[in-house]
Amino acid sequence: MSSKPIVVQAVVDKPLSQGFDYLWDIEKLGCLPEVGQVVQLPFGRGSEVGLVIKVNTHSEYSIDKLKSVEKVAPLPPLDDALLRLMNFTSQYYVHTLGETIMPSIPKMWRKSEDWEKIPKKIESAEKKKAKKIPSEEVEGYITVDQLNPEQLDALKTLVDEPKKTKNLFRSILMQGQTGSGKTAVFLNWLATILKDEGAQVLLLVPEINLTPQLERRVRAYFPNEALAVLHSGVSEKQRGIAWHEAFTGKARIVLGTRLAALASIPNLRAIVVDEEHDPSYKQQEGTRYSARDLAIWRAHDQKIPILLSSATPSLETWMAAKAGRYEYIRLDQRAQGALMPKVHLINSRDPQNQFSPGDENSPQTRSLITKTLANAITKNLESCKQSLILINRRGYAPVLSCSACTWLSECTQCSTHMVMHKAGALGKKSVLSCHHCGLVKPIPSFCPDCGNADLKTLGQGTQRLEDAIEEMWPKARVLRVDTDSSRKSKGAEALFQEIHEGKVDIVVGTQMIAKGHDYQNIGLVAVLDADSRLYSPDFRAAERLFAQLVQVAGRAGRSGKNGQEGGDIYIETQYPEAAVYQYLLRHDVDGFLSHTAREREEAHLPPYSYQGLIHAEGKTLDKAIQFLSSLKGRLKNKGLLGKELRIYDPVPKAVMRVAGAERAQIVIESESRKLLQEVLEIIDQDLRNESQGRISKTSRIRWLIERDPIAI
Ligand SMILES: [Zn+2]
Ligand SMILES: [Zn+2]
């Protein structure tokens, strides 16, 4: 045995900033240690799976006190490029390396007791391969010969890059309205990249619901290439295997949601971020990373091209393209010559638009649907086209109230109301459900405060709207699509299929219907509660609403092969004069973004500044606020506050209490990215000094630092 011991430093998924030293016994483990190896380690009283980040011959600690690595995963070490990405992510988002890396590895590989069984699982998965569908049968399969001149130009710009240098980094925004054929362009582009043997590409999509149809299209384009699909909706085993296929280079195309941005793809040659503006790219727990931003960093680091695609780019990306920092490709025609949908703003305050008592066909109770919209739906039904009615609230009614006293169905654990769900949605009977903490309760027969039996619902959700529509159009076939209905039945895909097959006349649902689906026969789209999303304290509310409405409008009249009509979109609003609606009326995406940019500049808000957020939660709001105030005081004493760095006062969060914890936050803002980073690191150090993990030892407040928050 050699005299020099081998010491490795490893990280685990804990909020502990340093790595830990362990001894490595070559004979026992059967291999040499390498940075990037996944290993099982003794930790505390049990074992943990961790990652080797250093290999040494000495330790700062006494060698004979060190414990030994127990087991090595049947995996090659994670590659250097991935470790660089993880180091950056950890530093930028002020989270420990262990907390950043370990959750990005699928659970299957973090269960060391199952490691022996993995090779068999992989073998059996290989035998079952998806059967090929003939490309021509897949909707949206468009070969190079079928591209229109504008798409061809876009493709040429993407492909015609002199490849003399080793650095192929390019960041490109492809902006084109829904229906302009962006997907066909980037899939044809990826095809040119995949001609290189061994090359891998990464295709990011914002939502799980969008992957099945894109997956079909990708398979149609690349029937002979191995595809790995990575998102949280597939089983742990499938995800573990797909991750392994990406990591070993077997899968040449990696398609996935934000978590795929952190997958190891050793021969990565190009990245596409579809719907790059979508807030789903931001992770909202643990290391709160932006998958889009990390993908850009990764492309830059690995010297490869990245394409950001959207009909309504985020202000950040759009400004970068305008300023020439990103290349800019525009697709302004709808691909198959379909017209733009006509936008109608219905002023819901105008009595002319409302049903009056005695009106023929009027709903029995006051309906969210105005007379103008009801007439349009009737007309659309008559012309045998489908209607899509969107309301952003699932459930029957947002609140249950007592008609005799002031009782409202408040959640006992959160500062919100419990939503009423009708029988059959979440259980056999009607229930009250909290959408924040998940608490479910039976509907009380009497008011808990005064005993009155007359309880009334207030407002509307998808279920109530479904009832109202069935009542107004008794002959129409109505389908509700929201997370409740898709969970209950065969899943969202099956519901979308019913719409595609024309088995439905009126679809009622939340935003999830509007995303990415190419319906062929939608003549009318209506949005009922757009205003509720406009007047939110979040400064990004209008930008997000605009993107959603444009997407929704894109669903109307995507008549593709069959027709040339543009369809209609109806928006019920009390504020038709608001900028977001006015720009929508003219389909003026650039006008809206310019307008928004001016507003942000005046207010020094992102992208004209950078933000960090410190979250604090504890037993009482007072304690959480106090915790943040005293942090602010300490930063002030250190002389950090000034013109370059603004720290706002601590405030309760929009939903202050969730699941019994009371929550506050503080916003930190600077025009300098570097300064903000330094200050967040100082804050991390400061808070860690008196915390165990991320819980303050004195006040028991749980805290978290978030970089580039997207919801404030
Ligand atoms: Zn009462
Ligand atoms: Zn609750």
Side-chain angles (χ1 to χ4, degrees), residues 411-414 416 418 434-439 658-659:
C411 176
T412 48
Q413 308 195 73
C414 310
T416 51
M418 293 188 85
C434 173
H435 291 183
H436 289 273
C437 71
L439 185 70
V658 168

